[in-house]
Amino acid sequence: MTTDSLRSGPGANGRSSPTGPTGPTGPKGTNGRDSQDSRDRRDSQDSRDRRDSRDSSEPGTGRLPVREHLPAGPVTASRVPVLDVVVPVYNEEKDLRPCVLRLHDHLSRTFPYAFRITVADNASTDSTPAVAAALAAELRGVAYVRLEEKGRGRALRTVWSGSDAPVLAYMDVDLSTDLNALLPLVAPLISGHSDLAIGSRLARSARVVRGSKREFISRAYNLILRSSLAAGFSDAQCGFKAIRGEVAERLLPMVEDSGWFFDTELLVLAERAGLRIHEVPVDWIDDPDSTVHIVRTATEDLKGVWRVGRALAVGALPLDRLARPFGDDPRDRALTGVPRGLARQLVGFCVVGALSTLFYLALYSLFRLGVGPQLANGGALLVSAVANTAANRRLTFGVRGRGGAVRHQAQGLVVFAIGLALTSGSLAALGAASGSPSHGTELAVLITANLAATVLRFLLLRAWVFPARACPDPDPDSEDVR
């Protein structure tokens, strides 16, 4: 993958000129353009310095800084853009120019911040590169990037990773989404309210015009995401999304896909990390000339769902790197006399406990077919205890990532040993009292003993294994993230 050029044009409307390296064949322009480029590059470096001063950790490590409202200011030619809108294209020589002209005109008239439009060419073989270069030379605030490999995800990763804008967005070249939704899309990111924003064609108040085939495929795909990956967002594939720059800096290295599944993977990981995703109902008209291969895209998406689901199941993704610092979430603010999260933890623990008990009883009944009651009880408790600790770690106490997982399991085994002593002691007492109790009697005694062990387990997990934070500003290098 290479980037041949990033070109920008002189244009008008007082909007900011894009920054970055200019390719050797890129048009330079006249009327002091070289000095303008120098000012833009200096402003770009100043923007990066400000970002570094807010978060001194290396890219991909540490925690995200507290969201801040981006400062307002006069829209000038030298000002670093607040918004960078990427338009990925492949062989779009017909639609590219009217799309960019329309988008540029809309932003010039309605967007109150400096902006940039970046055309990301995915190895087009027609005259798309020439059209894009001409637009970059003609319009201020338009840039052109050439990639020698295809893939919408690859284009977004390349441009977003190199952008100095604090808010990054993209939209499809056909402009199927009404542009009036663009400002509502990025406003929560500019204000610091949200981390990502997506347009939704499946929201209740969205207005969509498209064929029944595409409607069915879209709804079926999002149903698969909700059922397999527990996705809470309503529309993964709408080509109308935005993300804050510091979030993209941490999140993009974790996203493996470089094609159409890029959007879905980005959103699933962000949601699992606890980032806030804002949804905007859109007015959307299907492009009948779309070149998307539905069957091939659907196949690749399903492969991506399997890959991401497997990675999440084994804890292979360091999602703790995406955590916001303590205090950014109002739910983290301590209230006098109110144990933080107790009600939610009790509900989660009860659900996990009920499922663990059923799992334990099934294992005990299975093991009892070949071994005695004590061995069956110990084996069933051991397996269910490991599963119970892992489930409570993530679902009840909200710990993400692999940090501290081994220690938590070791502490969980100590809790398991206490439960084993209770249940084994109950079985021993039953045997001493009745000699040869029936299987039903054994299960009744075990259920009672497990209930007592469950209460003790919750108290130990909450106070010892996953203790609440004692201060509102923990060490950023601590390994546990709630």
Side-chain angles (χ1 to χ4, degrees):
M1 176 182 65
T2 60
T3 303
D4 282 357
S5 61
L6 191 157
R7 304 171 181 144
S8 56
N13 298 324
R15 298 294 181 180
S16 85
S17 168
T19 59
T22 303
T25 59
K28 295 294 290 183
T30 57
N31 299 326
R33 175 58 203 265
D34 291 338
S35 62
Q36 177 65 59
D37 282 346
S38 298
R39 289 195 299 270
D40 286 348
R41 282 192 291 271
R42 287 196 300 270
D43 207 13
S44 172
Q45 184 59 48
D46 290 343
S47 175
R48 292 190 180 95
D49 291 343
R50 289 193 297 270
R51 181 189 302 174
D52 293 340
S53 67
R54 292 195 304 266
D55 181 19
S56 59
S57 61
E58 293 297 324
T61 63
R63 297 185 184 181
L64 290 170
V66 175
R67 302 187 197 94
E68 296 178 353
H69 195 305
L70 300 178
V75 179
T76 62
S78 61
R79 187 175 177 84
V80 173
V82 169
L83 174 66
D84 193 349
V85 183
V86 182
V87 182
V89 293
Y90 173 72
N91 288 348
E92 297 287 355
E93 59 183 1
K94 177 182 176 181
D95 295 332
L96 179 57
R97 182 174 179 81
C99 159
V100 173
L101 290 177
R102 180 182 164 197
L103 177 58
H104 188 275
D105 175 70
H106 177 83
L107 289 172
S108 299
R109 288 185 295 101
T110 66
F111 195 67
Y113 293 87
F115 67 85
R116 176 193 302 142
I117 301 171
T118 302
V119 179
D121 175 25
N122 282 129
S124 294
T125 57
D126 60 1
S127 60
T128 296
V131 176
L135 287 167
E138 175 184 345
L139 300 173
R140 182 179 302 279
V142 174
Y144 161 52
V145 175
R146 166 78 178 184
L147 292 91
E148 296 302 331
E149 296 179 82
K150 295 174 62 177
R152 180 174 71 177
R154 178 176 288 108
L156 295 178
R157 186 197 314 275
T158 300
V159 178
W160 283 356
S161 297
S163 179
D164 56 347
V167 176
L168 311 168
Y170 95 89
M171 61 180 58
D172 292 335
V173 68
D174 55 19
L175 296 186
S176 294
T177 304
D178 183 18
L179 292 179
N180 286 329
L182 182 55
L183 185 55
L185 181 80
V186 301
L189 308 187
I190 293 174
S191 70
H193 175 270
S194 301
D195 299 294
L196 298 91
I198 64 174
S200 176
R201 300 162 297 184
L202 302 180
R204 185 177 300 275
S205 56
R207 298 183 180 94
V208 177
V209 178
R210 61 176 167 181
S212 57
K213 179 180 178 181
R214 285 184 176 271
E215 180 76 11
F216 172 78
I217 292 175
S218 179
R219 291 188 178 276
Y221 177 65
N222 284 280
L223 179 61
I224 291 173
L225 293 181
R226 288 195 294 273
S227 59
S228 61
L229 298 179
F233 45 86
S234 64
D235 192 350
Q237 291 286 35
C238 181
F240 195 68
K241 295 182 176 68
I243 185 173
R244 283 182 66 101
E246 73 270 16
V247 176
E249 184 181 12
R250 302 302 208 296
L251 189 54
L252 291 178
M254 302 183 193
V255 180
E256 294 185 15
D257 193 80
S258 59
W260 293 99
F261 187 69
F262 175 90
D263 299 48
T264 302
E265 188 170 358
L266 185 83
L267 292 174
V268 169
L269 297 186
E271 187 175 61
R272 287 300 185 96
L275 300 182
R276 178 176 284 168
I277 301 176
H278 176 74
E279 293 198 17
V280 178
V282 296
D283 297 339
W284 195 84
I285 300 177
D286 188 23
D287 178 15
D289 298 324
S290 174
T291 58
V292 177
H293 193 289
I294 296 178
V295 175
R296 182 171 63 245
T297 300
T299 302
E300 293 301 318
D301 285 346
L302 292 177
K303 291 180 181 177
V305 169
W306 168 256
R307 174 177 55 79
V308 171
R310 183 177 56 185
L312 292 172
V314 300
L317 297 170
L319 297 180
D320 55 304
R321 296 180 183 177
L322 297 173
R324 289 286 181 184
F326 182 72
D328 185 55
D329 190 331
R331 293 172 297 181
D332 290 333
R333 298 169 189 165
L335 299 176
T336 303
V338 180
R340 185 168 59 250
L342 178 59
R344 180 186 60 80
Q345 290 177 357
L346 279 173
V347 172
F349 183 80
C350 289
V351 172
V352 172
L355 294 176
S356 297
T357 300
L358 293 176
F359 184 46
Y360 161 78
L361 292 174
L363 288 176
Y364 177 81
S365 298
L366 178 64
F367 294 162
R368 192 66 176 85
L369 297 176
V371 298
Q374 294 289 2
L375 285 178
N377 174 60
L381 265 179
L382 178 62
V383 176
S384 61
V386 173
N388 180 276
T389 300
N392 276 311
R393 182 178 188 270
R394 178 65 184 92
L395 301 177
T396 303
F397 299 98
V399 180
R400 294 181 290 268
R402 291 182 173 181
V406 175
R407 175 171 57 83
H408 293 155
Q409 283 292 348
Q411 292 173 308
L413 288 178
V414 174
V415 177
F416 151 75
I418 296 174
L420 178 61
L422 283 174
T423 53
S424 297
S426 300
L427 283 176
L430 177 63
S434 59
S436 299
S438 66
H439 182 65
T441 303
E442 286 181 355
L443 289 181
V445 170
L446 285 174
I447 290 174
T448 303
N450 263 292
L451 288 176
T454 297
V455 174
L456 182 60
R457 183 184 302 122
F458 175 75
L459 296 176
L460 289 174
L461 289 177
R462 192 170 195 271
W464 180 48
V465 183
F466 309 109
R469 283 167 291 206
C471 63
D473 187 19
D475 182 356
D477 295 328
S478 64
E479 61 186 7
D480 294 344
V481 180
R482 302 286 161 86

PDB file of all heavy atoms in Angstrom, residues 444-456:
ATOM      1  N   ALA A 444     -30.785 -31.640  46.363  1.00  0.00           N
ATOM      2  CA  ALA A 444     -31.441 -30.656  47.230  1.00  0.00           C
ATOM      3  C   ALA A 444     -30.460 -30.075  48.232  1.00  0.00           C
ATOM      4  O   ALA A 444     -30.432 -28.859  48.483  1.00  0.00           O
ATOM      5  CB  ALA A 444     -32.628 -31.299  47.941  1.00  0.00           C
ATOM      6  N   VAL A 445     -29.640 -30.953  48.824  1.00  0.00           N
ATOM      7  CA  VAL A 445     -28.641 -30.481  49.794  1.00  0.00           C
ATOM      8  C   VAL A 445     -27.607 -29.599  49.103  1.00  0.00           C
ATOM      9  O   VAL A 445     -27.189 -28.557  49.630  1.00  0.00           O
ATOM     10  CB  VAL A 445     -27.969 -31.681  50.479  1.00  0.00           C
ATOM     11  CG1 VAL A 445     -26.762 -31.224  51.305  1.00  0.00           C
ATOM     12  CG2 VAL A 445     -28.956 -32.408  51.354  1.00  0.00           C
ATOM     13  N   LEU A 446     -27.184 -29.994  47.899  1.00  0.00           N
ATOM     14  CA  LEU A 446     -26.190 -29.216  47.169  1.00  0.00           C
ATOM     15  C   LEU A 446     -26.732 -27.843  46.784  1.00  0.00           C
ATOM     16  O   LEU A 446     -26.005 -26.839  46.819  1.00  0.00           O
ATOM     17  CB  LEU A 446     -25.745 -29.975  45.923  1.00  0.00           C
ATOM     18  CG  LEU A 446     -24.806 -31.161  46.168  1.00  0.00           C
ATOM     19  CD1 LEU A 446     -24.564 -31.921  44.870  1.00  0.00           C
ATOM     20  CD2 LEU A 446     -23.481 -30.689  46.761  1.00  0.00           C
ATOM     21  N   ILE A 447     -28.002 -27.779  46.422  1.00  0.00           N
ATOM     22  CA  ILE A 447     -28.603 -26.486  46.059  1.00  0.00           C
ATOM     23  C   ILE A 447     -28.601 -25.546  47.264  1.00  0.00           C
ATOM     24  O   ILE A 447     -28.247 -24.366  47.167  1.00  0.00           O
ATOM     25  CB  ILE A 447     -30.032 -26.684  45.520  1.00  0.00           C
ATOM     26  CG1 ILE A 447     -29.986 -27.359  44.144  1.00  0.00           C
ATOM     27  CG2 ILE A 447     -30.762 -25.341  45.425  1.00  0.00           C
ATOM     28  CD1 ILE A 447     -31.346 -27.728  43.588  1.00  0.00           C
ATOM     29  N   THR A 448     -28.967 -26.079  48.419  1.00  0.00           N
ATOM     30  CA  THR A 448     -28.974 -25.257  49.632  1.00  0.00           C
ATOM     31  C   THR A 448     -27.570 -24.779  49.984  1.00  0.00           C
ATOM     32  O   THR A 448     -27.347 -23.607  50.306  1.00  0.00           O
ATOM     33  CB  THR A 448     -29.558 -26.058  50.813  1.00  0.00           C
ATOM     34  OG1 THR A 448     -30.873 -26.523  50.480  1.00  0.00           O
ATOM     35  CG2 THR A 448     -29.623 -25.203  52.066  1.00  0.00           C
ATOM     36  N   ALA A 449     -26.604 -25.682  49.889  1.00  0.00           N
ATOM     37  CA  ALA A 449     -25.224 -25.311  50.200  1.00  0.00           C
ATOM     38  C   ALA A 449     -24.688 -24.296  49.194  1.00  0.00           C
ATOM     39  O   ALA A 449     -23.950 -23.374  49.547  1.00  0.00           O
ATOM     40  CB  ALA A 449     -24.341 -26.565  50.211  1.00  0.00           C
ATOM     41  N   ASN A 450     -25.090 -24.464  47.940  1.00  0.00           N
ATOM     42  CA  ASN A 450     -24.625 -23.537  46.909  1.00  0.00           C
ATOM     43  C   ASN A 450     -25.214 -22.142  47.088  1.00  0.00           C
ATOM     44  O   ASN A 450     -24.570 -21.139  46.777  1.00  0.00           O
ATOM     45  CB  ASN A 450     -24.975 -24.072  45.513  1.00  0.00           C
ATOM     46  CG  ASN A 450     -23.809 -24.813  44.882  1.00  0.00           C
ATOM     47  OD1 ASN A 450     -22.796 -24.210  44.553  1.00  0.00           O
ATOM     48  ND2 ASN A 450     -23.955 -26.112  44.733  1.00  0.00           N
ATOM     49  N   LEU A 451     -26.441 -22.077  47.583  1.00  0.00           N
ATOM     50  CA  LEU A 451     -27.027 -20.761  47.840  1.00  0.00           C
ATOM     51  C   LEU A 451     -26.233 -20.013  48.910  1.00  0.00           C
ATOM     52  O   LEU A 451     -25.952 -18.818  48.783  1.00  0.00           O
ATOM     53  CB  LEU A 451     -28.488 -20.914  48.272  1.00  0.00           C
ATOM     54  CG  LEU A 451     -29.480 -21.321  47.179  1.00  0.00           C
ATOM     55  CD1 LEU A 451     -30.874 -21.539  47.764  1.00  0.00           C
ATOM     56  CD2 LEU A 451     -29.527 -20.266  46.082  1.00  0.00           C
ATOM     57  N   ALA A 452     -25.859 -20.747  49.971  1.00  0.00           N
ATOM     58  CA  ALA A 452     -25.040 -20.127  51.017  1.00  0.00           C
ATOM     59  C   ALA A 452     -23.681 -19.732  50.462  1.00  0.00           C
ATOM     60  O   ALA A 452     -23.161 -18.641  50.732  1.00  0.00           O
ATOM     61  CB  ALA A 452     -24.890 -21.083  52.195  1.00  0.00           C
ATOM     62  N   ALA A 453     -23.093 -20.601  49.644  1.00  0.00           N
ATOM     63  CA  ALA A 453     -21.799 -20.299  49.043  1.00  0.00           C
ATOM     64  C   ALA A 453     -21.889 -19.127  48.081  1.00  0.00           C
ATOM     65  O   ALA A 453     -20.947 -18.345  47.933  1.00  0.00           O
ATOM     66  CB  ALA A 453     -21.254 -21.535  48.323  1.00  0.00           C
ATOM     67  N   THR A 454     -23.047 -18.976  47.428  1.00  0.00           N
ATOM     68  CA  THR A 454     -23.235 -17.886  46.471  1.00  0.00           C
ATOM     69  C   THR A 454     -23.215 -16.536  47.159  1.00  0.00           C
ATOM     70  O   THR A 454     -22.591 -15.578  46.679  1.00  0.00           O
ATOM     71  CB  THR A 454     -24.561 -18.077  45.711  1.00  0.00           C
ATOM     72  OG1 THR A 454     -24.499 -19.279  44.951  1.00  0.00           O
ATOM     73  CG2 THR A 454     -24.817 -16.900  44.781  1.00  0.00           C
ATOM     74  N   VAL A 455     -23.903 -16.437  48.284  1.00  0.00           N
ATOM     75  CA  VAL A 455     -23.904 -15.169  49.033  1.00  0.00           C
ATOM     76  C   VAL A 455     -22.488 -14.804  49.453  1.00  0.00           C
ATOM     77  O   VAL A 455     -22.029 -13.661  49.287  1.00  0.00           O
ATOM     78  CB  VAL A 455     -24.830 -15.267  50.263  1.00  0.00           C
ATOM     79  CG1 VAL A 455     -24.715 -13.991  51.105  1.00  0.00           C
ATOM     80  CG2 VAL A 455     -26.267 -15.500  49.828  1.00  0.00           C
ATOM     81  N   LEU A 456     -21.774 -15.783  49.980  1.00  0.00           N
ATOM     82  CA  LEU A 456     -20.397 -15.544  50.401  1.00  0.00           C
ATOM     83  C   LEU A 456     -19.507 -15.201  49.204  1.00  0.00           C
ATOM     84  O   LEU A 456     -18.628 -14.334  49.288  1.00  0.00           O
ATOM     85  CB  LEU A 456     -19.865 -16.779  51.126  1.00  0.00           C
ATOM     86  CG  LEU A 456     -18.437 -16.671  51.685  1.00  0.00           C
ATOM     87  CD1 LEU A 456     -18.345 -15.525  52.686  1.00  0.00           C
ATOM     88  CD2 LEU A 456     -18.019 -17.990  52.331  1.00  0.00           C
TER      89      LEU A 456
END
